Amino acid sequence: MSKGSNVPVPTTALRVELGWRSGLGVPDADASALLLVGGKVRSDGDFVFYNQPAHSSGAVRHEGKRDAGGRVTDSLLVDLARVEPAIETVILAASSDGGAFGQVPDLYIEVKDAAQGTVVARFDSTGATVEIAFVLGEFYRRQGAWKFRAVGQGYGSGLEGLATDYGITVDEPQQAAPTTPPVAPPATTPMAPPPPMQPPAMPPVPPSVPQTSPVSLSKVTLTKAAPSVSLTKQGGTSGALRVNLNWQVRKQFSGWASKLGRPVAMHNDLDLDLCALYELTDGRKGVIQSLGNAFGALHQPPYILLDGDDRTGAVASGENLTVNLDHQRSFRRILVFVTIYEGARSFADLNATVTLTPQHGAPVDFSLDECTVPSTVCALALITNTGSDLVVQREARYLVPERGVSPQRTVDHAYAWGMNWTPGRK
C-alpha cells in the first residue's frame, strides 16, 4: 500500500504485525493502539501498549514481541467485531526505544487474518529520519464497514507526544521549582492601617472530579550488556509480580500445521513448562511446576503461584507465574526456568520472550538468545533478595541434561539448590 491509501478489511480477528530488521545499533520498537471517539480517547483505558496490554472490551490486545532470523515483530490482536459501537477509529502506532526510526531498517505494518494467516494489508514505511514515534495505520468505520488506511505520520516527541495528542494523561517525572535567593523588600514609610474590610464571599466549592492515575510509559529491557535491574529502585517491591513466558516455533516441522495463527503439532503438541525453584529465608526450598501439580500458593508459603499449563505460547493466556511481593522478606532467591515437556528435542527452533510485570514499577522484559546446544531446560531469570534490595538477573542460560538426568535436577545442580528429586507426571 502507498501512504494515504485504504482497503476494506473483514470484521474478524486480525493480527496487526509491526516488523523490522534487527542488527547492531538498531533501536527496539513497540506496537501500540488507541481507540478514539471524535479523534480522542475517552479515558486512558483506551490506550493499549506494553504497560497496558489489553482493552477492557477485549477488542484489542498487545500480544508481544518475537525475534526470529534477524526479523523482529511486535503484534496486536484486533477483533473488530468486539470494538464498541462508539469507537470510530483504532490508531495503530509504533514507538522506538534507544534511537530514531531513521535507524530502523525495513519498518512495516502488516494486517493478517488471525485465523487463516492471510495478509489483508501491508504498508512499508520509508523515509524516516529523527522520528521516535509513528502512526503507521488506522482502522476506521465507513458506512457500517471497517477499512484500513496507511498513515505514516511521524512524531519527534515520541510515544509521550503521540499519546498526549490523543488525550492520554502521561505520568511525567516531577521537577522541583527553581529556587532563587530571597530578596529583601524595599524600605517603605510606615502608613496608617487601612480600615477593616469585609472578607469576600467564598466561591462555591466545585463538585469533585474523580482523578485517574496517569499512564506510565516506563519499561526495562534486560540485555547481555545490562543483564540486571533493581526492583527496589523501580518501586516494584509490593503487590503481585507477574512472570509471563511466550514462544513461537522458528521453523515448521514435518507434520505440523497452523491453527489460529499459532504453530501447533498435529499429533504431538509442543509443551513448554514454566517453573520456579524457590528458597525462603527460613530455609525451606521447593519447586513450582505443573509436573506433579506443584502449582504453589499466593497467600501462604511459598507465595508463588503457577496459573496453569498452556500449550500455545500465547501472551494472553500463556504460561504465567505470580509472585506475591507483599511477602518479599520471606524470599531468599527465586530461579525462574522453562523445560520442554514434549513436542521438541531442544530450544534450537524455538523463540521465547520473558516479561516480568510488577504491580508497581516498570515491566522488565528480555528475549532468549538463539540456542545452539541440545538443551531441554533453560534458566530464565534469578530474583535475589539481598536484604536491602530485590534484584532481577537475566540468565537466559541453556543447560544440557546428562543421560538419565531430569531437566529439573540439571537446573538444581547448576545453581546449587540442593534438593532431592523423584519422578513426577502430569
Side-chain angles (χ1 to χ4, degrees), residues 54-69:
H55 192 260
S56 59
S57 67
V60 182
R61 188 176 75 232
H62 182 239
E63 283 206 304
K65 203 164 290 181
R66 316 282 193 182
D67 186 349

Side-chain angles (χ1 to χ4, degrees), residues 255-271:
W256 287 62
S258 179
K259 179 182 179 183
L260 296 179
R262 302 187 185 100
V264 297
M266 296 175 64
H267 303 293
N268 189 21
D269 289 345
L270 173 66
D271 188 2

Side-chain angles (χ1 to χ4, degrees), residues 202-224:
M202 295 296 291
V205 178
S208 61
V209 178
Q211 299 295 314
T212 58
S213 299
V215 171
S216 172
L217 304 182
S218 301
K219 71 168 184 173
V220 177
T221 299
L222 299 183
T223 63
K224 286 182 178 179

